[in-house]
Amino acid sequence: MKRRTVLGAAAGLAATHLKYGRLIREAAASEDVEADVLVIGAGASGAASAWRLASQGFKVVCLEQGDWLDHLEIPSTKDDWELVRQREWNPSPNVRGLPADYPVNDSDSPIKALMYNAVGGTTLMWSCHAPRFHPSDFKTNSLDGVGANWPLSYWDLEPYYDLNDKMCGISGLSGDPSNPPRSARQRAPMPIGKGAARLASAMDDMGWHWWPNDVQALSSAYGEETGDCNNCGPCEVACPVRAKGSTDVTYWPKALDAGIRLITKARVFEIETDANGNAVGAAYYDRNKVARRVRAKRVIVAANGIGTPRLLQLSVSKKHPNGLANGSGLVGRNLMLHPIALVTGLFDEDLEGYKGITANCITSQEFYETDDSRDYKRGYMVQFLRSFGPVLTSLAGYGVPVPWGEKHHSRFLDVFNHTASAGIVCEDIADPDNRITLDSDLTDGDGIPAPKMTYTLSENSKNMLAHGIESCTKIMENAGAKEVHNIELVEQAGWHLMGTARVGDDPEQSVLNKWNQAHDVPNLYVVDGSAFATAAAVNPTNTLQALALRAADHIAQTRGEL
Amino acid sequence: MPSSNVDTPNTDILAAVMNAILPGGDGFPSARPQRFGSAMMADAAKDNDTEMVRDLLSKLPETFVALEPGDQVAALQTLEASETVAFSKMIRHAYHAYYTDSDVRSAIEEITGYPARPPHFEGYEMEPFDAKVVAVQRQREPFWRKV
Ligand SMILES: Cc1cc2nc3c(=O)[nH]c(=O)nc-3n(C[C@H](O)[C@H](O)[C@H](O)COP(=O)(O)OP(=O)(O)OC[C@H]3O[C@@H](n4cnc5c(N)ncnc54)[C@H](O)[C@@H]3O)c2cc1C
């Protein structure tokens, strides 16, 4: 019965792939083209904005430096999947080094840059946790005297959160007391599993908040060509059953049906401008490394919090000598990440931690807001994690050591499937010295200057991390952990890239206005995480997709103006 | 005195080292059989670490293979203390080789129930979400900060 379902699913997937094969070939044709709107980047935000515009009749072209991913050819279908995810499927472009990747010089940052470059962007690797920002996140300066206020509010964005949820499908549960009310979720929450149930019960006893996550993965299929999540675990190595909300599954099929032209293996090296400084399109290298051009009335940059400032800084002209849209000098500055610490409890019980999405089950937002009795401003979310497979368990993936030698095997058995972890996801307060610049030496495979990331962990973050470790240790102890281990700062955690072209009302203090439109270049929009004025303490993708949809609607509403 | 003739790691040394690192027991096989050493070297090659491992092993005493198990461990501990980074890389390659071996994966399945197959396509059965688990949290008044 189970086998039949699996084979049935595979047959359906093969049909889907044939369809995409045709689309891919169509998209591959390269010549100079014209469009109403050019979108650069086919990841989370690019896909959302492109679909929204194409479905309102715009002629949209999207340039993406990567290609389509064949979901049937991913590591989690193979015995060495835990090795491949450390190499060819490593979230660091520096380790992967695939032709679509560009290197990032992150040697001056204690947190390393992570991303994926293909149709679907980093959502091909994401863990699908899709929370919303809180209303307070948009007003941290007024409320707490830190960070910048956004020129829009939670309530401005709420309809677009709803639209994004509807487009992608959320498995979750409404009624979370730590957040404003929201509509019924599209699908039932994901199973919680033994480890999270144990921690949840401890938090109930402590009077602390927890709630099942809003997940952009489907507890049961939602719409055409999607599948049911089979609780396989590692969403980070993509999803062959198409249950995970990567945008090649959620937005792109609909965007292509709406007539958008997606050109893959097309690396943009300059956003071009006219004599007045307005954007007129972009120049890119096609798959044969021939330089080409797309002409467009409006340009949307959706290349992520590192790729976007890189591209704006590369686009120097007479009118924009410091890079495009950089009159404020803030392009690339105010890089925000979410510093993360990890606390792991080791339990006597077999928690079956391999079952269910590894990094996505329940969260606690007990410590989300500023509390003046603490030595830091703003707060953190605790995102609970399941456990790793045998290889990463033996390598102390979540910080529980397994020594080599005589005691190795008994210790392995003590640890394997007997851990539950808490990731402390801290709000990062913007600092202009944390930034993306162009590296003076490093280049990508096309010889284009690579980005350099400079980042220092603030005292505020250090204090917040320490508080998080303390509170999560209490949770583990109350849940009956016999050992508790922690990692004070996770190095491979630069997955949330924000702030490098931020929104604001004041053109001297921000790059974009409240519609994600560049102050200096009215026909240029930035819709990825670069636009964030604050980082909040939750994962950013739902918010950047909502912003992208909203910006697209603004373009539609002002279509006659330019 | 360090051994001098280990340009391709001597299979006896490799087997002895693998066995000392992963000696077996508790239902697990030892990593002594040659295939583990070969797999470890193949894994090292993927990260361009072949030379590094050879170098490391050449720093073991020439008599390593003949040493008592306790003395082998002591020799490896000495090496670990002096060559921390290289040693930890070698351990990584050894674990990679060991935990992707089909006998080891079968042993894990037998002992723990964790299936000896990749996560896909079958995935795993789980109890569906039961709304009763949020009963306590549902009683809490909304506490998000009103703005
Ligand atoms: C392991 C991992 C787990 C994650 N888990 C979560 C999670 O659970 N929840 C969450 O909210 N977020 C998560 N994230 C982060 C999430 O994936 C990103 O926030 C999101 O994908 C960012 O969307 P984006 O549109 O800004 O950029 P991306 O999705 O990165 O897309 C940018 C696209 O632009 C393309 N591009 C860049 N430069 C150029 C150029 N010059 N020319 C042409 N194309 C270009 C890239 O190839 C890429 O496809 C995770 C990330 C990682 C790495």
Side-chain angles (χ1 to χ4, degrees):
Chain A
M1 162 69 182
K2 179 84 191 165
R3 173 69 55 189
R4 247 199 345 266
T5 318
V6 170
L7 292 177
L13 291 171
T16 300
H17 280 265
L18 276 181
K19 179 177 164 194
Y20 287 135
R22 181 172 50 76
L23 291 167
I24 293 164
R25 277 195 300 281
E26 281 169 12
S30 280
E31 71 271 359
D32 292 356
V33 289
E34 295 212 353
D36 295 330
V37 183
L38 167 65
V39 178
I40 301 169
S45 57
S49 55
W51 163 76
R52 188 66 171 167
L53 286 162
S55 64
Q56 295 181 64
F58 283 84
K59 183 177 173 195
V60 182
V61 170
C62 177
L63 295 173
E64 165 56 50
Q65 66 190 346
D67 210 341
W68 288 84
L69 176 83
D70 184 346
H71 283 249
L72 298 178
E73 280 300 319
I74 61 156
S76 54
T77 58
K78 307 203 171 61
D79 285 342
D80 63 351
W81 65 280
E82 283 193 281
L83 310 194
V84 178
R85 74 183 294 186
Q86 296 176 60
R87 295 188 173 115
E88 300 91 311
W89 262 90
N90 195 297
S92 163
N94 298 339
V95 177
R96 256 183 350 251
L98 298 176
D101 292 321
Y102 56 87
V104 179
N105 178 352
D106 52 16
S107 56
D108 275 352
S109 171
I111 301 173
K112 305 303 176 191
L114 308 178
M115 65 178 74
Y116 202 74
N117 300 306
V119 177
T122 312
T123 62
L124 291 165
M125 284 210 151
W126 78 321
S127 314
C128 329
H129 186 200
R132 296 181 180 187
F133 276 27
H134 285 218
S136 67
D137 291 322
F138 295 82
K139 300 279 174 254
T140 64
N141 192 277
S142 316
L143 293 171
D144 297 322
V146 291
N149 289 340
W150 292 58
L152 64 150
S153 72
Y154 173 87
W155 311 108
D156 293 325
L157 211 50
E158 192 188 36
Y160 293 97
Y161 278 129
D162 286 341
L163 176 60
N164 195 45
D165 291 352
K166 202 171 138 215
M167 288 299 296
C168 303
I170 297 279
S171 301
L173 188 69
S174 52
D176 176 358
S178 73
N179 273 268
R182 61 190 65 160
S183 52
R185 311 290 68 205
Q186 284 71 25
R187 288 291 174 263
M190 291 293 179
I192 283 200
K194 289 186 181 176
R198 192 166 177 147
L199 300 173
S201 152
M203 286 184 281
D204 281 348
D205 292 346
M206 294 163 83
W208 285 7
H209 168 264
W210 70 271
W211 198 257
N213 290 0
D214 265 6
V215 183
Q216 253 197 47
L218 303 169
S219 53
S220 57
Y222 178 74
E224 257 181 74
E225 292 168 0
T226 61
D228 307 348
C229 174
N230 62 11
N231 307 309
C232 84
C235 282
E236 298 76 21
V237 283
C239 180
V241 297
R242 301 174 72 86
K244 155 178 162 161
S246 51
T247 57
D248 58 333
V249 171
T250 54
Y251 277 105
W252 277 113
K254 297 177 187 85
L256 293 168
D257 284 348
I260 193 172
R261 175 131 189 233
L262 169 58
I263 303 178
T264 55
K265 291 192 170 182
R267 178 174 275 146
V268 177
F269 56 89
E270 187 181 350
I271 299 166
E272 296 183 309
T273 49
D274 62 16
N276 299 322
N278 288 322
V280 292
Y284 69 99
Y285 290 120
D286 74 4
R287 56 184 57 216
N288 302 314
K289 301 208 179 267
V290 176
R292 306 224 174 242
R293 175 171 276 152
V294 173
R295 291 279 178 211
K297 297 189 188 96
R298 305 206 193 185
V299 175
I300 295 180
V301 197
N304 84 29
I306 291 180
T308 288
R310 175 197 188 206
L311 201 46
L312 295 176
Q313 289 170 19
L314 283 168
S315 303
V316 173
S317 63
K318 256 196 193 145
K319 280 273 177 193
H320 304 285
N322 300 318
L324 193 56
N326 199 17
S328 62
L330 291 179
V331 168
R333 291 193 182 269
N334 295 308
L335 170 69
M336 295 176 285
L337 309 168
H338 283 138
I340 291 178
L342 207 64
V343 174
T344 296
L346 179 60
F347 296 85
D348 280 328
E349 188 191 355
D350 180 345
L351 299 173
E352 296 184 334
Y354 61 94
K355 295 184 176 177
I357 303 178
T358 314
N360 206 344
C361 47
I362 62 172
T363 51
S364 172
Q365 299 199 354
E366 185 65 31
F367 300 101
Y368 199 87
E369 292 292 346
T370 298
D371 175 338
D372 286 333
S373 69
R374 301 190 195 122
D375 56 357
Y376 61 86
K377 296 282 187 188
R378 303 299 297 158
Y380 57 90
M381 164 187 76
V382 182
Q383 179 167 339
F384 293 93
L385 314 167
R386 296 188 168 98
S387 50
F388 281 133
V391 175
L392 292 176
T393 300
S394 70
L395 291 168
Y398 282 145
V400 184
V402 181
W404 59 269
E406 208 190 341
K407 299 215 171 77
H408 179 85
H409 303 290
S410 60
R411 178 65 174 172
F412 175 85
L413 289 176
D414 276 351
V415 177
F416 183 59
N417 282 332
H418 288 71
T419 62
S421 300
I424 297 136
V425 179
C426 293
E427 174 160 352
D428 200 2
I429 312 277
D431 173 349
D433 290 337
N434 289 338
R435 61 188 298 208
I436 300 296
T437 49
L438 296 178
D439 195 86
S440 48
D441 299 318
L442 195 64
T443 57
D444 65 21
D446 288 312
I448 305 168
K452 175 171 163 55
M453 180 172 168
T454 306
Y455 181 90
T456 307
L457 193 67
S458 69
E459 284 306 309
N460 197 65
S461 292
K462 285 181 192 162
N463 294 342
M464 201 186 294
L465 287 163
H467 187 276
I469 289 173
E470 202 182 306
S471 50
C472 289
T473 302
K474 282 185 198 151
I475 297 172
M476 295 300 168
E477 286 169 354
N478 282 309
K482 58 183 181 182
E483 288 174 31
V484 181
H485 298 263
N486 68 61
I487 299 175
E488 287 176 8
L489 180 69
V490 180
E491 186 183 281
Q492 296 298 324
W495 32 50
H496 301 160
L497 307 166
M498 299 163 285
T500 46
R502 71 182 184 190
V503 290
D505 282 325
D506 180 353
E508 289 188 4
Q509 295 301 321
S510 56
V511 177
L512 312 169
N513 70 13
K514 66 177 172 182
W515 301 110
N516 292 54
Q517 187 175 22
H519 290 298
D520 303 354
V521 188
N523 67 343
L524 179 78
Y525 292 72
V526 172
V527 296
D528 55 58
S530 314
F532 288 14
T534 59
V538 293
N539 321 52
T541 308
N542 198 10
T543 299
L544 60 87
Q545 288 186 306
L547 279 174
L549 293 168
R550 184 172 174 273
D553 273 5
H554 177 70
I555 291 177
Q557 281 148 17
T558 58
R559 73 198 304 165
E561 281 179 23
L562 287 172
Chain B
M1 193 185 129
S3 57
S4 52
N5 56 349
V6 195
D7 13 303
T8 55
N10 174 315
T11 48
D12 291 343
I13 291 188
L14 205 51
V17 167
M18 288 299 284
N19 181 59
I21 292 171
L22 295 154
D26 295 296
F28 286 89
S30 154
R32 184 187 293 279
Q34 200 187 329
R35 69 175 192 283
F36 287 104
S38 307
M40 192 269 264
M41 291 310 292
D43 193 77
K46 287 188 181 158
D47 294 342
N48 295 322
D49 283 345
T50 310
E51 280 305 315
M52 183 213 76
V53 175
R54 276 185 198 148
D55 229 47
L56 201 59
L57 297 183
S58 73
K59 290 182 176 138
L60 285 168
E62 234 172 65
T63 53
F64 184 82
V65 176
L67 292 177
E68 289 297 314
D71 293 334
Q72 287 183 338
V73 168
L76 284 169
Q77 283 169 340
T78 307
L79 191 60
E80 183 175 27
S82 61
E83 304 284 339
T84 317
V85 174
F87 194 90
S88 83
K89 284 189 183 174
M90 182 179 74
I91 291 289
R92 172 177 288 268
H93 297 309
Y95 289 178
H96 280 182
Y98 188 73
Y99 285 104
T100 47
D101 180 82
S102 59
D103 284 1
V104 175
R105 289 165 1 98
S106 298
I108 294 175
E109 175 165 335
E110 195 154 303
I111 305 165
T112 71
Y114 174 75
R117 59 167 172 82
H120 275 303
F121 286 93
E122 285 172 65
Y124 308 109
E125 294 288 337
M126 286 181 87
E127 288 292 316
F129 178 80
D130 177 356
K132 285 205 280 293
V133 294
V134 291
V136 172
Q137 297 294 329
R138 282 235 189 256
Q139 286 162 21
R140 190 161 175 181
E141 286 298 313
F143 66 98
W144 52 276
R145 196 170 175 187
K146 308 283 183 308
V147 178

